Amino acid sequence: MTSISEIDSQSGTMIQVENPATGEVLCSIRNMNAEDVQDLVARARSAQPQWAAMDFSQRARLVRAWRSWFIQHREHIIDLIVAENGKTREDALLAEVFYIADSMGFWAKNAAKYLAPESPRTHSPLVLGKKITVHYRPLGVVGVIAPWNYPLTLSIGDALPALMAGNSVVIKPSEYAPLAVQYVVQGALEVGFPQGVIVAASGGGATGASLVDRADMIQFTGSTRTGRQIASRCGERLIPCSVELGGKDPMIVLADANLERAANIAVEWSMRNSGQICMAVERVYVEESAYELFVDKVVKKVAALLQGLPGGYGTVDVGAITYPAQMDVIQSHVDDALEKGARILVGGNPGRGPGRFFEPTVLVDVDHTMKCMTEETFGPLLPIMKVSDADEAIHFANESTYGLGSSIFTRDIGKAEGLARRLVAGNTWINDAIMSYLAQEVPFAGSRESGLGGRHGAQGIRKYCDTHTILTTRFAPSHELTMFPNSARRSRAFERLLVLMFGRK
Ligand code: NAD
């Protein structure tokens, strides 16, 4: 059997999917080659025109039927996510099943509004009296390439606006967590989606690359390294792409903050899903006078977390590490920090069990020479650094190649809002974390190496469309002043008009 690390060099082979919390092999999936992907894209392409010809309400009706199916089958969906991902049942319920059900309703309701034709009034005197309408037209076949950490949220969640815009979609889920996606895609067919409108490919990086070679637009979520390759290939093909990439989110805790809440949120969003969240809290900067108390609170809370094999609701707080190579990254960040003078206050080792676990870990005496403060860890690691004041905190928070999320804790809201504007990030949460992701009306996007494009809101669906501007001249003379033949008298008159209009300071 092909090992999962060999799959990129092969095609037409099978890939084992394992449960990261137990080490048990769950099943094998096909590692599709370029011809397989070509077939899927061809199916999607032939289904798309009919799908695009349906009106929004017809597509919305199908998406709502899909949502009913999804809720009816939630138990099995959660079982699949927990098994292939090693995450807790609560993680699967809240961040995947709840989000997707909510998202299905959101896009079914709002797609028509975001994509309604627009007729803006033009400012240009040369276009006065003409009617201009901007239409949004689907691009064709959208390829959605997804990571393993939130297998449904980051695949079906992106497919929904693409579908509602009238595209067909080929999803390439992660080879490490493909099962829930395949099941939910089947559900779409069961409720009456036309064949080919949404299909799932299976395979590794090479399968994804084949999709990039054939689709009309790529929506990618994953590492910055892969995102760069995909954006570059899309550039060669001159097709649009939206890439949602890594992060190293800072949290700033000022001395006047509600330290109990700040500590709860630091622990929650560094340890939930074992820290395998693009917008996890990956580093904390605490103002000097609050530092001891904050660290004390965090350490007690982290030490009390229960880690282990995810069972029913409430059995464990922290699950497994999904991606095998991530264990080495986490360990190397801990080792590097210790070598450079950091101290571990809790955790620090691989966890016990048949599967892959890493203990929830708190590091102090850290600085920016250490990988744990500058590179994405993507694990249950919380480094806490003392800073002298808010300015120093902002300085270090911005000292990163990433710019996804960020948070600030203080009771002085005016000050927080001022500081927020100084952070280089796509999202800032004041006395909170992550929650704007659930407000699907507003953009979620990364700056710097955290991504290009973004999801949610108007731009989260318009990115799946071409714009088509139609100008209509209804009542006009046969000959207008700007038409041939050129005349020196008219051109000089235009020049005087130009100076009159734009020449004043
Ligand atoms: P990854 O880049 O290794 O893989 C992501 C997907 O890309 C997988 O389906 C993989 O098979 C595919 N792929 C790999 N090489 C490819 C290639 N050359 N061409 C096309 N497809 C290819 O990422 P991962 O390890 O699955 O996910 C973890 C990363 O995702 C982290 O860096 C995390 O921060 C990021 N992430 C970002 C967001 C966000 O919204 N910004 C959300 C979740 C995760």
Side-chain angles (χ1 to χ4, degrees):
M1 187 63 67
T2 313
S3 111
I4 208 151
S5 57
E6 289 173 277
I7 53 177
D8 272 5
S9 56
Q10 303 195 19
S11 59
T13 52
M14 302 293 284
I15 301 170
Q16 290 184 337
V17 181
E18 66 165 43
N19 181 332
T22 62
E24 167 204 5
V25 174
L26 296 168
C27 65
S28 296
I29 57 160
R30 279 183 65 208
N31 187 22
M32 289 185 172
N33 61 24
E35 288 78 50
D36 297 326
V37 174
Q38 172 62 40
D39 286 350
L40 282 184
V41 171
R43 272 171 53 199
R45 199 173 291 296
S46 69
Q48 192 265 334
Q50 206 188 341
W51 176 249
M54 290 166 74
D55 61 34
F56 282 107
S57 64
Q58 289 172 302
R59 292 198 289 264
R61 212 170 301 128
L62 279 168
V63 169
R64 289 199 182 96
W66 195 16
R67 182 173 63 175
S68 299
W69 176 95
F70 185 76
I71 293 297
Q72 270 167 25
H73 294 80
R74 67 188 182 283
E75 286 286 330
H76 186 57
I77 294 168
I78 293 174
D79 287 345
L80 288 173
I81 296 173
V82 170
E84 67 184 347
N85 215 268
K87 64 172 70 184
T88 66
R89 250 186 131 64
E90 281 82 355
D91 283 335
L93 173 74
L94 297 171
E96 303 251 49
V97 172
F98 182 90
Y99 173 86
I100 290 297
D102 186 41
S103 201
M104 286 170 160
F106 177 80
W107 290 114
K109 181 175 173 203
N110 291 302
K113 178 183 78 184
Y114 288 136
L115 300 184
E118 293 168 344
S119 297
R121 282 166 65 102
T122 170
H123 77 289
S124 171
L126 300 185
V127 191
L128 273 183
K130 299 178 194 287
K131 181 179 156 205
I132 298 187
T133 312
V134 181
H135 297 264
Y136 293 97
R137 191 172 51 192
L139 290 164
V141 178
V142 170
V144 173
I145 300 178
W148 43 263
N149 63 331
Y150 283 97
L152 282 191
T153 294
L154 302 170
S155 60
I156 303 293
D158 287 318
L160 286 166
L163 288 168
M164 279 306 300
N167 298 281
S168 55
V169 173
V170 180
I171 300 180
K172 208 299 281 174
S174 169
E175 57 275 34
Y176 293 94
L179 304 182
V181 174
Q182 287 179 352
Y183 183 67
V184 173
V185 166
Q186 274 304 314
L189 288 181
E190 280 179 36
V191 302
F193 272 66
Q195 289 281 344
V197 162
I198 175 163
V199 289
S202 64
T207 310
S210 294
L211 184 55
V212 177
D213 283 342
R214 289 167 177 81
D216 302 315
M217 185 273 180
I218 293 293
Q219 163 61 48
F220 170 77
T221 310
S223 62
T224 298
R225 189 179 54 83
T226 310
R228 232 187 261 285
Q229 290 171 12
I230 288 178
S232 150
R233 179 65 185 133
C234 288
E236 280 172 29
R237 292 195 57 221
L238 278 182
I239 60 163
C241 68
S242 181
V243 293
E244 323 290 330
L245 310 175
K248 185 74 191 170
D249 288 5
M251 173 190 271
I252 295 173
V253 181
L254 300 185
D256 71 339
N258 175 343
L259 293 186
E260 184 64 19
R261 178 171 172 81
N264 278 331
I265 288 185
V267 174
E268 168 81 16
W269 292 110
S270 59
M271 303 301 162
R272 188 162 278 290
N273 207 32
S274 301
Q276 302 163 117
I277 309 181
C278 56
M279 46 188 166
V281 174
E282 287 236 348
R283 50 197 172 117
V284 185
Y285 303 97
V286 189
E287 222 174 355
E288 216 158 4
S289 59
Y291 177 80
E292 297 293 339
L293 186 54
F294 177 81
V295 169
D296 190 49
K297 283 177 184 290
V298 165
V299 166
K300 286 193 180 113
K301 290 173 198 294
V302 170
L305 292 173
L306 212 58
Q307 183 178 45
L309 183 66
Y313 290 134
T315 48
V316 289
D317 301 307
V318 182
I321 301 299
T322 311
Y323 179 50
Q326 209 62 37
M327 289 293 286
D328 297 337
V329 175
I330 302 165
Q331 188 68 63
S332 77
H333 285 196
V334 171
D335 294 344
D336 170 74
L338 292 182
E339 269 165 34
K340 292 171 180 163
R343 283 182 300 132
I344 294 174
L345 296 188
V346 55
N349 299 299
R352 278 190 294 275
R356 279 185 299 276
F357 293 93
F358 201 95
E359 293 172 347
T361 298
V362 178
L363 285 173
V364 291
D365 299 344
V366 290
D367 62 43
H368 273 228
T369 64
M370 300 173 187
K371 290 179 187 171
C372 69
M373 296 301 280
T374 55
E375 294 177 17
E376 186 181 50
T377 308
F378 226 56
L381 188 62
L382 188 62
I384 309 176
M385 181 170 160
K386 193 189 292 180
V387 290
S388 55
D389 56 20
D391 283 337
E392 197 182 19
I394 294 283
H395 165 79
F396 281 119
N398 283 338
E399 197 176 83
S400 174
T401 55
Y402 293 112
L404 193 54
S406 51
S407 51
I408 302 174
F409 286 77
T410 168
R411 286 192 167 88
D412 185 341
I413 300 299
K415 180 175 179 181
E417 287 176 349
L419 292 173
R421 299 297 303 273
R422 291 168 56 194
L423 284 170
V424 184
N427 312 275
T428 298
W429 305 290
I430 295 172
N431 297 324
D432 222 314
I434 290 183
M435 285 301 151
S436 62
Y437 197 85
L438 302 179
Q440 294 184 46
E441 301 77 7
V442 295
F444 176 82
S447 54
R448 301 202 279 209
E449 292 184 10
S450 289
L452 281 178
R455 47 173 67 99
H456 298 165
Q459 74 183 53
I461 188 163
R462 289 180 183 165
K463 71 182 179 183
Y464 295 121
C465 299
D466 267 335
T467 53
H468 186 189
T469 300
I470 299 179
L471 178 145
T472 308
T473 299
R474 200 174 292 170
F475 308 108
S478 307
H479 187 266
E480 294 189 34
L481 283 176
T482 48
M483 291 176 179
F484 286 141
N486 282 344
S487 115
R489 216 181 90 226
R490 245 180 21 219
S491 297
R492 274 194 291 275
F494 265 121
E495 217 176 321
R496 282 197 294 279
L497 186 67
L498 171 93
V499 174
L500 202 68
M501 285 174 68
F502 307 120
R504 272 171 292 144
K505 282 200 181 135

